[in-house]
Amino acid sequence: MASEKTNNSAKTKKFIKEFLIMTFTMGIAAIAVHYFMQPSGLIVGSISGLSIVIYRLTGIPVSALTFSINLLLLVLAWILIGKEFGIKTIYTALILSPWLRLFEWLDKSFQIDPASLFNFPGGTDYWFYLLSFVLILSATQAILFNINASTGGLDILAKIVNKYLHIDIGTSVTIAGAAICCSAFFIPGNSLYLIILGFIGTWINGLVVDHFTAGLNAKKRVCIISDDYQRIRDYIVNTLKRGCTLYPVKGGYSQEDKVELQAILTNEEFAKLMEMIKDNDIHSFVTAGRVSEVYGLWFRHRRKSNEVDYNRPLNI
């Protein structure tokens, strides 16, 4: 009973935390769209970019277009990616339009012209707008992907490509974004220079998303050779609640038979493990390498630690 209450409390805290992250992150994304993308005229590959193209052709507000297109794509998220991703993306997609409407209202109320907010002596600095928009948007995309959510629209298509074709999420963003960039050719009199900048921005967006995502998802592959490996194994399994794999190895110098222990840990867990080894003065040889993505049983080991056979190798 106590365990069930603890689990429910943990789920509630996780829900509140992720709800706040999604709300705040989408506000930052709306700032990037409203104050950097729209005033510059750049069409960087995104649903917001496609909405701007349609707005210039039809006059329909960007906020209304963004809402409508995202609504259609959310069906794909629910069916092809999963319930959790679908629910979270429904929320982020729905909250983006109110954020954009809020900034539109603030501009009107305080007589702010986003196009003249950043004035430069030599005219519009497109590179400033491009890099500012891409860096802000990429950070928000990476944060949301990390909690199994997205900004909606283009990210839904990118996530589908990532899930079924196992292409890096940044590359998936670039592929989907490049297709949307082509819509800029339909704007009468649109500058070829701006269109090319849009393609460059989309490519940079994919690279930066990969960079941020790798940083957020980074794990440590830890390899340990020690005569006291059972104590280390016990700490990993029972304290850190992670799995590990034991391999028989032979020392090239000593020719002695040894056991190598391997585990995938978060940076925080790795720090705790190294502290434990140091505090207990365990003689060991440790190497650690960075792992960007983990699939298979790793997450289930953490969630259902009491149901997992930790002596079984991980399927990673």
Side-chain angles (χ1 to χ4, degrees), residues 27-254:
I28 300 299
I31 289 175
V33 172
H34 186 71
Y35 291 105
F36 293 100
M37 187 177 185
Q38 286 183 241
S40 67
L42 293 168
I43 306 300
V44 179
S46 66
I47 295 304
S48 299
L50 180 60
S51 299
I52 291 173
V53 171
I54 299 175
Y55 160 72
R56 292 185 181 175
L57 294 174
T58 65
I60 301 174
V62 172
S63 55
L65 288 166
T66 303
F67 177 83
S68 301
I69 297 173
N70 276 319
L71 199 59
L72 294 174
L73 289 170
L74 287 173
V75 178
L76 290 176
W78 187 279
I79 296 174
L80 298 178
I81 303 177
K83 182 178 178 181
E84 180 185 353
F85 181 86
I87 292 174
K88 289 179 177 178
T89 303
I90 286 173
Y91 174 71
T92 56
L94 294 177
I95 200 65
L96 177 60
S97 293
W99 274 116
L100 290 173
R101 290 296 296 171
L102 173 63
F103 292 126
E104 290 170 359
W105 176 81
L106 288 173
D107 290 347
K108 185 177 180 180
S109 300
F110 294 95
Q111 297 182 342
I112 299 172
D113 181 10
S116 61
L117 195 59
F118 300 101
N119 287 322
F120 299 93
T124 303
D125 190 335
Y126 291 109
W127 281 102
F128 167 79
Y129 281 108
L130 176 70
L131 294 177
S132 297
F133 170 75
V134 166
L135 289 174
I136 295 172
L137 183 66
S138 299
T140 61
Q141 288 173 309
I143 291 170
L144 292 174
F145 282 138
N146 193 54
I147 60 172
N148 196 29
S150 75
T151 61
L154 171 68
D155 289 357
I156 294 174
L157 300 177
K159 189 71 174 179
I160 292 172
V161 173
N162 169 256
K163 178 178 179 178
Y164 290 99
L165 300 182
H166 302 291
I167 297 174
D168 289 342
I169 192 66
T171 304
S172 302
V173 168
T174 301
I175 293 171
I180 291 178
C181 277
C182 294
S183 65
F185 287 105
F186 293 101
I187 299 178
N190 200 15
S191 170
L192 182 61
Y193 172 73
L194 294 183
I195 295 175
I196 293 174
L197 274 184
F199 278 104
I200 294 173
T202 301
W203 174 65
I204 295 174
N205 181 207
L207 294 178
V208 178
V209 167
D210 266 344
H211 173 76
F212 284 140
T213 303
L216 292 171
N217 292 333
K219 307 294 183 295
K220 294 283 189 181
R221 180 192 297 275
V222 185
C223 302
I224 305 173
I225 297 177
S226 173
D227 292 333
D228 209 2
Y229 67 89
Q230 287 290 4
R231 288 182 66 189
I232 299 173
R233 174 195 172 278
D234 180 72
Y235 181 79
I236 292 174
V237 170
N238 297 313
T239 302
L240 298 181
K241 304 298 182 184
R242 290 294 183 194
C244 62
T245 305
L246 305 178
Y247 296 99
V249 295
K250 191 178 188 68
Y253 178 79
S254 65

